[in-house]
Amino acid sequence: MAEKPGGTEITELAALKALAQPRRQQILQRLTLHGPATSAILARALALNTGATSYHLRELARYGFVEDAAAEEPAGRRARWWRAVPGDRRFPPRSRQSPPRCGSSWTS
């Protein structure tokens, strides 16, 4: 992802795919609105499996959408806490996007 004034451009196809998954969107929204949580807390809140929730959190972390919130957790806790990485994420302007490869046109 490229840092730009006014927002971070999402330019990697893999990052877009990671963010496009509906459960990951739910997880990211929950973390954004309610603050740090463990995979177990998120799984209960969103009626998901804890193993799947952990996997989705790791995928979101791989592309910088969430991060380990270890610095915010109380001493002595063993659970892994996650938080949403704040930021304004955007697609690049259409002028810098690649043309479609399928050969079809949206206009008739």
Side-chain angles (χ1 to χ4, degrees), residues 17-32:
K17 285 182 178 180
L19 197 55
Q21 212 285 342
R23 288 186 177 151
R24 293 182 192 147
Q25 290 177 18
Q26 288 178 318
I27 290 168
L28 186 57
Q29 182 179 28
R30 181 81 186 185
L31 291 171
T32 301

Side-chain angles (χ1 to χ4, degrees), residues 13-82:
L13 181 58
L16 289 170
K17 285 182 178 180
L19 197 55
Q21 212 285 342
R23 288 186 177 151
R24 293 182 192 147
Q25 290 177 18
Q26 288 178 318
I27 290 168
L28 186 57
Q29 182 179 28
R30 181 81 186 185
L31 291 171
T32 301
L33 295 175
H34 299 282
T38 65
S39 62
I41 291 169
L42 290 166
R44 277 192 304 275
L46 300 172
L48 302 172
N49 173 294
T50 56
T53 304
S54 291
Y55 168 74
H56 290 307
L57 284 164
R58 289 190 305 273
E59 286 298 301
L60 288 168
R62 178 188 298 189
Y63 298 103
F65 298 115
V66 301
E67 65 186 8
D68 195 335
E72 297 175 14
E73 72 181 69
R77 283 208 147 163
R78 290 185 44 177
R80 186 169 187 183
W81 287 75
W82 297 90

